[in-house]
Amino acid sequence: LKSNVKSAVFLSPKIELGPGSVSNKIYYGVDFPRGHIAVKSFNAEVVDEAGNPVPLHETYTTGTLNHSDIILVRNSGTCQRDILAQYYGLGSETRRTATDIPDPFEIIVGNPAKIPEGYEEKWLVNIHAIDTRGVVDKMGCTECKCELYNVTNDEYGELLLRPDYKGGLLCCYDQTQCRLREGFVGQKRNLYLRCTVKWVNWDKFIVPVKIYILDVTDTSKISHDSKGMIAEHDCQIEYEVESCSTGNEDGNDCLHVKRTNLSMKNGGYVIYGVAHQHSGGTGSMLYGQLMFNDRRVICSSIPSYGEGKEAGNETNYIIGMSTCYPRPGSVKIIDGETLTLESN
């Protein structure tokens, strides 16, 4: 298959940003390889109009890529409705995180037998970009602290009723503004998400894979209906990390751990795994059920932090996540197995 791999670079629509501003838009019908194909990898980075990579300490990004045209083709993950329904979910770490799917496994798209009659397959991308040039607190702006955005209402005009909501997606929606240093003046600029896609044309020797995106905030419960027992999921996407206690501020013991248990109705072999974390993250683990009184590690994904100023090596930012590529056939999740997802 390797000799038949195709590669192409695509640019997103223009993203207009001024110092401290936020853009969070969904772009429909973006350029993407067409036809009945098998996707091998997807990587992306933010660039300026000259094609130069933009460092994270100037523009911080999160993004997702998925099918579109109102009938949403979601992944096989456990979250409810359209929450985390995308095929790829990448952020600041995208430049140095492997996304390659090993042969003979591939992500199949464009299968004409699965496209409803009268519909055309298209792709959408959701790009959340925060311009941190000239802001009073770069990390606070990327954490979307409500006080820095002077936000008391969400994007639909509703009051933020949770008094403990100090920051998050509800406070850095499209067209919001993070506080600038007094007297700072900067120019607006146009940026783009530059995507590199590798794929092969579909053939009968390819083994299709399913994408499962799991969320550590998922609180699932079992309910009953006419079809029997079903799991109801409530993924929140984000959660509050408690402040470090005074006694641990100067030590290495300040670790916040978030866990959830997830029942996997359908099992299968694991061929790739990776976690997504933001600054402060120290790693994420996925465990299987206990075996011989020991937790079975399915995947461990650890962040790398930058040490400089150049794009791809920004100090205090996660610039990559380690990935899991088990030997094919060596790691299997059985039908109905309960997994434990942990984020540190």
Side-chain angles (χ1 to χ4, degrees):
L1 290 174
K2 290 183 179 178
S3 61
N4 298 320
V5 174
K6 300 177 175 64
S7 180
V9 177
F10 303 95
L11 285 181
S12 73
K14 179 173 60 180
I15 307 166
E16 298 183 19
L17 286 171
S21 66
V22 177
S23 177
N24 188 13
K25 293 181 172 64
I26 297 176
Y27 302 97
Y28 293 89
V30 297
D31 288 338
F32 200 81
R34 305 291 180 178
H36 194 184
I37 62 172
V39 179
K40 293 195 63 64
S41 69
F42 174 86
N43 293 91
E45 64 175 342
V46 174
V47 298
D48 60 20
E49 288 193 298
N52 301 310
V54 176
L56 295 170
H57 54 74
E58 292 184 3
T59 302
Y60 191 77
T61 55
T62 62
T64 62
L65 183 78
N66 207 337
H67 289 279
S68 105
D69 198 10
I70 311 307
I71 295 180
L72 189 67
V73 182
R74 66 161 295 139
N75 63 64
S76 300
T78 57
C79 289
Q80 70 277 16
R81 300 180 300 279
D82 296 340
I83 302 299
L84 297 180
Q86 71 270 13
Y87 271 26
Y88 288 92
L90 300 166
S92 66
E93 77 281 13
T94 178
R95 287 188 178 105
R96 296 193 178 185
T97 300
T99 61
D100 303 271
I101 304 298
D103 294 335
F105 308 99
E106 318 291 354
I107 300 170
I108 305 299
V109 299
N111 183 352
K114 293 190 175 182
I115 300 175
E117 185 177 355
Y119 281 82
E120 176 187 1
E121 181 183 78
K122 294 185 178 181
W123 289 79
L124 67 83
V125 62
N126 170 215
I127 305 171
H128 188 195
I130 303 172
D131 192 317
T132 58
R133 292 174 297 156
V135 300
V136 296
D137 180 357
K138 286 181 180 287
M139 198 57 66
C141 289
T142 64
E143 292 176 342
C144 298
K145 289 186 176 179
C146 300
E147 61 181 28
L148 292 175
Y149 286 88
N150 194 28
V151 166
T152 55
N153 295 64
D154 64 21
E155 61 185 313
Y156 305 108
E158 299 293 329
L159 282 173
L160 299 177
L161 298 179
R162 282 175 48 191
D164 61 335
Y165 193 82
K166 300 175 183 178
L169 293 171
L170 296 180
C171 291
C172 59
Y173 46 87
D174 191 46
Q175 301 300 309
T176 51
Q177 175 73 38
C178 201
R179 189 186 308 155
L180 297 175
R181 299 194 302 268
E182 187 174 354
F184 181 85
V185 178
Q187 299 295 316
K188 286 187 176 182
R189 62 181 180 179
N190 298 324
L191 304 178
Y192 303 85
L193 189 69
R194 182 168 63 195
C195 308
T196 302
V197 185
K198 294 182 180 180
W199 75 96
V200 296
N201 290 330
W202 182 87
D203 68 45
K204 62 182 180 180
F205 300 107
I206 291 172
V207 180
V209 297
K210 291 184 177 181
I211 300 169
Y212 282 81
I213 293 182
L214 310 177
D215 187 3
V216 76
T217 70
D218 190 355
T219 55
S220 60
K221 62 180 182 179
I222 302 298
S223 63
H224 300 266
D225 66 4
S226 58
K227 298 179 180 178
M229 294 187 299
I230 59 172
E232 293 183 356
H233 296 271
D234 187 21
C235 298
Q236 299 297 311
I237 301 178
E238 61 184 11
Y239 63 95
E240 184 77 15
V241 177
E242 297 172 1
S243 298
C244 200
S245 65
T246 304
N248 287 334
E249 286 180 355
D250 297 326
N252 297 316
D253 298 325
C254 190
L255 181 66
H256 184 278
V257 181
K258 181 81 170 176
R259 293 188 186 92
T260 190
N261 294 323
L262 301 164
S263 178
M264 302 294 290
K265 180 179 179 181
N266 299 312
Y269 291 101
V270 178
I271 59 108
Y272 171 83
V274 68
H276 168 70
Q277 289 188 313
H278 291 262
S279 295
T282 63
S284 184
M285 276 64 69
L286 183 65
Y287 299 102
Q289 288 177 336
L290 291 176
M291 296 184 66
F292 309 109
N293 295 320
D294 193 13
R295 289 192 294 184
R296 182 170 66 99
V297 179
I298 294 174
C299 182
S300 175
S301 184
I302 308 299
S304 298
Y305 282 83
E307 300 176 343
K309 292 185 177 181
E310 67 274 18
N313 189 35
E314 301 91 336
T315 300
N316 294 328
Y317 292 89
I318 292 179
I319 58 172
M321 296 292 296
S322 68
T323 52
C324 297
Y325 286 97
R327 179 173 54 83
S330 64
V331 177
K332 185 179 183 180
I333 297 170
I334 63 175
D335 292 352
E337 183 172 0
T338 297
L339 307 184
T340 299
L341 180 62
E342 176 181 292
S343 182
N344 299 318

